[in-house]
Amino acid sequence: DFFVFQNFELKHCLISFDLKIGILDLALLSIIKDIDISFLATLWLAMRFIYVPIYILGIDYVRTIVWAVSLICLIMMGISFL
C-alpha cells in the first residue's frame, strides 16, 4: 500500500506539471510588464521539486513547511499582478 500511494503522488505531481509551466509563463509575462516575480516563480518551482523526495521519505513536518512556502509564493505572485 505504501508504494501504491507514493506512485499516486508522483503521478499527481506529473499531472500538475502544466500548472508549473503556466506559472513560469506568467513569470516571463510579468518581466515584460516590469513586474518581476521570477524569484518567486523559481522558488515555487524549487519547493515543488523538493516536495516529492521529502514526501517519499515521509518527513511530515518538513513537507508541510515546503508546501506552505510554495503556497506563500503563489499568493505573493498573485498579489503582484494586482
Side-chain angles (χ1 to χ4, degrees):
D1 290 332
F2 177 75
F3 291 108
V4 172
F5 190 70
Q6 301 301 329
N7 192 20
F8 171 77
E9 181 64 27
L10 182 60
K11 286 181 183 178
H12 176 69
C13 183
L14 293 175
I15 289 170
S16 65
F17 188 71
D18 291 338
L19 176 64
K20 293 169 182 62
I21 297 300
I23 296 289
L24 290 176
D25 289 342
L26 285 177
L28 293 174
L29 180 63
S30 69
I31 292 171
I32 294 170
K33 291 186 166 195
D34 290 331
I35 303 172
D36 188 13
I37 61 167
S38 59
F39 173 73
L40 289 171
T42 305
L43 182 61
W44 177 80
L45 189 60
M47 291 296 108
R48 296 311 299 162
F49 281 119
I50 291 170
Y51 180 84
V52 174
I54 289 174
Y55 185 86
I56 291 171
L57 292 173
I59 308 171
D60 293 333
Y61 295 109
V62 176
R63 184 180 73 199
T64 302
I65 292 169
V66 168
W67 180 84
V69 170
S70 69
L71 180 64
I72 290 169
C73 289
L74 282 176
I75 292 170
M76 291 176 66
M77 283 189 283
I79 290 172
S80 297
F81 282 105
L82 297 178

